[in-house]
Each structure stands twice: as structure tokens, then as C-alpha cells.
Amino acid sequence: MSAVGTVLGMLLTDLRHFLDLPEDAPNPSHRLGEHLGNIVRAATAGDAGTAWESMLPCRRRPANRRCPGRMIVLRSEPDTPISWQCNTCDDAGVISNWTDSPFDLRRRGLAIAGAVIEIVISDEAAAALREVTLLDPGCERLVFGIRAHHDDAVLIATDEDLEELIGFVAAEANHEPNRRRQQRLDSAFASLSAAQTPSGR
Ligand SMILES: [Zn+2]
């Protein structure tokens, strides 16, 4: 099977073909690989069996303007493809062979139950969090599990998760040489810190 095919307008992709793309592969391949990797991270960070709307932006640019849509993702069984579709345009596809890839964020072992809080953050803050490079899998799961809610994003975390994530964001902001990116990280840091409950401080 080739790396990419289409059936009835659906983009059929095999994640394995995008895992070790050579540096000199064409840019569109790298961009598609990144897009697919993020979809797998979101689909494996969220619940299985129900389609939900992530904060991942659509990759399409009809008439050179970015499609404002977000990716709706659905994961069912481990060995069946992940489906995705834009909530605005007709871009849609399935991704096979994602199981146990580096983008597979499914929880290993039992989750420790704790009271969770819902934190509403901006679209920009959610995007800044996705760019944090130092996250451990638990924090990646929080960030890619962020759901779209109207124009905002909702992050669901326990106080402990939140504290850990705030630590990563602070570390990244401290080492960020790009001033604009640092400001975006600082603002994400501020919205997360504001959501901490007093006992968690
Ligand atoms: Zn779209």
C-alpha cells in the first residue's frame, strides 16, 4: 500500500510511513506527518469510543485563508484506524498503524483517581502548550486531550497534573530565546496558575 491514498474523499494514511521521514522529504510530507502525529496524540489522549472535538487546527487553506475548523477525532479499538474530520470543511481521513508509535499516548496502567478540574484557556494558550518540547507523556496527554469549547479550550486535570504541567511550562519559558514565544508561554503559565486551587499552591 502506498503512504497516502483516498477513498470517497477520505485521506487514508499509514502512520508508519511518516515516522522516519528523511530530512530531505518534501515539506508537505513533513507537514502532513506532523498533522497526523498530533491527531494520534489527541485521539489517544482522549476517551476511546466517542468522537470529540480537539483544539487541533485544520491543515487546509482554501483560497489561501486558513480553514478555521478543528479536528474531530475518534479512536475505537487498538488495532483499528483512528478517524478524523474537520468540523468546518470536508477534510477527513483515517490513520492506521498508530498503536505503540511514539504518538500513542494511551495510559499505561491504572489511572489514579483524583478530583479533576476544568480549566478554560485561550486558543493561543492551547497552541503554546502543544509546542512545549519537554513534556512527559502524562503532561502530553493533558495538552493533547484539551477540548474545543466554543472559542475557548478546556483542559481537564487533577491538581497534581496541573502542578506538573505548570512546572514544564515554566522551565520551557525560562529557556525560550524567542521573545514572542516566551510571552505566549508566560500567558499560558498565568492562566494555568490562576486555575490552581489554594490547597494546591
Ligand atoms: Zn477544515
Side-chain angles (χ1 to χ4, degrees), residues 58-60 62 67-71 86-91:
C58 182
R59 68 199 172 104
R60 285 215 173 143
C67 169
R70 310 225 169 260
M71 294 296 107
C86 176
N87 70 353
T88 303
C89 71
D90 61 0
D91 198 19

Short mmCIF file of all heavy atoms in Angstrom, two decimals, residues 58-60 62 67-71 86-91, ligand 1:
data_model
loop_
_atom_site.label_atom_id
_atom_site.label_comp_id
_atom_site.label_asym_id
_atom_site.label_seq_id
_atom_site.Cartn_x
_atom_site.Cartn_y
_atom_site.Cartn_z
N CYS A 58 -7.33 22.85 11.54
CA CYS A 58 -7.40 22.23 10.22
C CYS A 58 -6.15 22.62 9.43
O CYS A 58 -5.60 23.70 9.59
CB CYS A 58 -8.66 22.71 9.50
SG CYS A 58 -8.88 21.97 7.86
N ARG A 59 -5.70 21.71 8.56
CA ARG A 59 -4.49 21.97 7.77
C ARG A 59 -4.80 22.68 6.47
O ARG A 59 -3.91 23.11 5.75
CB ARG A 59 -3.78 20.65 7.49
CG ARG A 59 -4.57 19.76 6.55
CD ARG A 59 -4.15 18.31 6.59
NE ARG A 59 -5.09 17.53 5.79
CZ ARG A 59 -4.82 17.07 4.56
NH1 ARG A 59 -3.65 17.31 4.01
NH2 ARG A 59 -5.71 16.40 3.89
N ARG A 60 -6.07 22.76 6.11
CA ARG A 60 -6.43 23.30 4.79
C ARG A 60 -6.40 24.82 4.75
O ARG A 60 -6.66 25.49 5.74
CB ARG A 60 -7.81 22.82 4.41
CG ARG A 60 -7.81 21.37 3.99
CD ARG A 60 -8.80 21.15 2.90
NE ARG A 60 -8.72 19.82 2.36
CZ ARG A 60 -9.78 19.12 1.97
NH1 ARG A 60 -10.99 19.65 2.09
NH2 ARG A 60 -9.63 17.92 1.46
N PRO A 62 -8.15 26.95 2.09
CA PRO A 62 -8.89 27.24 0.85
C PRO A 62 -8.73 28.72 0.49
O PRO A 62 -8.83 29.56 1.38
CB PRO A 62 -10.35 26.89 1.21
CG PRO A 62 -10.40 26.87 2.70
CD PRO A 62 -9.02 26.58 3.20
N CYS A 67 -8.48 27.43 6.99
CA CYS A 67 -9.78 26.92 7.41
C CYS A 67 -9.84 27.06 8.94
O CYS A 67 -8.92 26.66 9.63
CB CYS A 67 -9.94 25.45 7.01
SG CYS A 67 -11.39 24.67 7.77
N PRO A 68 -10.91 27.68 9.47
CA PRO A 68 -10.97 27.91 10.92
C PRO A 68 -11.37 26.66 11.71
O PRO A 68 -11.53 26.71 12.92
CB PRO A 68 -12.05 28.99 11.05
CG PRO A 68 -12.94 28.76 9.87
CD PRO A 68 -12.07 28.22 8.77
N GLY A 69 -11.53 25.54 11.00
CA GLY A 69 -12.04 24.33 11.64
C GLY A 69 -11.07 23.66 12.60
O GLY A 69 -9.88 23.97 12.64
N ARG A 70 -11.63 22.74 13.37
CA ARG A 70 -10.85 21.96 14.32
C ARG A 70 -11.05 20.48 14.04
O ARG A 70 -12.06 20.08 13.46
CB ARG A 70 -11.31 22.24 15.75
CG ARG A 70 -11.38 23.68 16.06
CD ARG A 70 -10.76 23.96 17.41
NE ARG A 70 -10.61 25.38 17.60
CZ ARG A 70 -9.48 26.04 17.43
NH1 ARG A 70 -8.39 25.39 17.08
NH2 ARG A 70 -9.41 27.33 17.61
N MET A 71 -10.11 19.68 14.49
CA MET A 71 -10.17 18.25 14.22
C MET A 71 -11.07 17.52 15.23
O MET A 71 -10.87 17.61 16.44
CB MET A 71 -8.76 17.64 14.33
CG MET A 71 -7.79 18.11 13.27
SD MET A 71 -8.33 17.62 11.62
CE MET A 71 -8.85 19.20 10.99
N CYS A 86 -12.57 17.40 9.84
CA CYS A 86 -12.65 18.81 10.20
C CYS A 86 -14.10 19.12 10.53
O CYS A 86 -15.01 18.60 9.90
CB CYS A 86 -12.17 19.67 9.04
SG CYS A 86 -12.32 21.44 9.36
N ASN A 87 -14.31 20.00 11.53
CA ASN A 87 -15.69 20.33 11.88
C ASN A 87 -16.26 21.42 10.97
O ASN A 87 -17.41 21.81 11.11
CB ASN A 87 -15.80 20.74 13.36
CG ASN A 87 -15.14 22.08 13.65
OD1 ASN A 87 -14.49 22.67 12.79
ND2 ASN A 87 -15.29 22.56 14.87
N THR A 88 -15.42 21.91 10.05
CA THR A 88 -15.86 23.02 9.21
C THR A 88 -15.85 22.68 7.72
O THR A 88 -16.82 22.94 7.02
CB THR A 88 -14.97 24.26 9.47
OG1 THR A 88 -15.04 24.59 10.86
CG2 THR A 88 -15.41 25.45 8.63
N CYS A 89 -14.75 22.11 7.24
CA CYS A 89 -14.70 21.76 5.81
C CYS A 89 -14.84 20.24 5.68
O CYS A 89 -15.13 19.55 6.65
CB CYS A 89 -13.40 22.27 5.17
SG CYS A 89 -11.91 21.38 5.68
N ASP A 90 -14.63 19.71 4.48
CA ASP A 90 -14.86 18.27 4.29
C ASP A 90 -13.57 17.45 4.41
O ASP A 90 -13.54 16.29 4.00
CB ASP A 90 -15.57 18.01 2.96
CG ASP A 90 -14.72 18.49 1.78
OD1 ASP A 90 -13.61 19.01 2.02
OD2 ASP A 90 -15.16 18.33 0.63
N ASP A 91 -12.51 18.05 4.97
CA ASP A 91 -11.26 17.30 5.13
C ASP A 91 -11.47 16.19 6.16
O ASP A 91 -11.98 16.45 7.25
CB ASP A 91 -10.15 18.24 5.58
CG ASP A 91 -8.77 17.65 5.35
OD1 ASP A 91 -8.64 16.71 4.53
OD2 ASP A 91 -7.80 18.13 5.98
ZN ZN B 1 -11.15 22.39 7.58
#
